[in-house]
Amino acid sequence: MPDYRRNRVPGGTFFFTVNLLERKASTLVTQIDALRDAVRTVRARRPFHIDAWVVLPDHMHAVWTLPPGDSDYSGRWRAIKVAFAKALPKSERISAARAARGERGIWQRRFWEHTIRDERDYAAHLDYVHINPVKHGLVTSVRDWPYSSFLHCVARGV
């Protein structure tokens, strides 16, 4: 088993990529309300600041800043994934290995994370988050994708 090491920086800012198991699914946008509810529920119990977020049909990118003294982004992602999965009917195919572990067949087990190092890195990752729907050919203009924090960031002057 690989030894996954996460960079734990209390109060840090992090970029994430989280994928559905089925990369051709559109569950994240068709079930956007369930995803929003899951995030809202987790944030109420374990606060974090959403610097940027984009939800695409089969994956999402986010930039979060954790509260001072807190570095547990993994627990928050786990809670979001569980809450989202519980809100969906059990209709997905699951492998024998996932069934044996009591897992659903919705999410990839892991996620990708990057610790934001400085202002330049922060700006680059916010840009990456917001350009992603254009990169994937979903829209021609960043402002046209409805599942993005782009317009909120513009309104905040970011």
Side-chain angles (χ1 to χ4, degrees):
M1 178 100 166
D3 181 19
Y4 290 96
R5 294 180 189 208
R6 302 283 188 192
N7 193 17
R8 307 280 181 202
V9 178
T13 300
F14 304 90
F15 166 82
F16 303 99
T17 300
V18 182
N19 297 308
L20 290 178
L21 182 61
E22 177 58 51
R23 287 305 306 262
K24 293 185 180 182
S26 60
T27 311
L28 293 177
V29 294
T30 61
Q31 300 296 324
I32 192 69
D33 291 335
L35 179 60
R36 287 177 174 148
D37 287 345
V39 171
R40 199 174 299 116
T41 299
V42 171
R43 283 183 76 202
R45 285 181 286 142
R46 310 220 25 227
F48 59 92
H49 181 264
I50 297 171
D51 298 75
W53 202 310
V54 67
V55 178
L56 301 166
D58 63 348
H59 71 286
M60 56 188 162
H61 301 288
V63 177
W64 295 354
T65 300
L66 296 181
D70 191 339
S71 63
D72 187 20
Y73 50 79
S74 292
R76 287 169 171 86
W77 276 118
R78 182 173 37 258
I80 289 168
K81 287 179 170 185
V82 167
F84 180 73
K86 284 183 176 181
L88 303 182
K90 292 184 179 183
S91 61
E92 75 278 3
R93 290 185 350 221
I94 59 170
S95 67
R98 282 183 180 266
R101 292 174 74 166
E103 295 178 7
R104 299 277 307 264
I106 297 171
W107 298 104
Q108 286 186 3
R109 285 190 178 125
R110 308 216 185 274
F111 58 87
W112 193 83
E113 131 274 323
H114 165 79
T115 304
I116 301 297
R117 298 180 302 268
D118 54 31
E119 288 299 320
R120 189 170 162 209
D121 194 32
Y122 180 80
H125 282 85
L126 258 60
D127 287 346
Y128 182 83
V129 165
H130 293 136
I131 199 70
N132 223 253
V134 174
K135 176 185 164 195
H136 288 282
L138 299 168
V139 291
T140 56
S141 174
V142 171
R143 69 176 42 257
D144 294 336
W145 188 247
Y147 313 115
S148 169
S149 62
F150 176 73
L151 294 176
H152 295 287
C153 287
V154 169
R156 288 192 338 250
V158 176

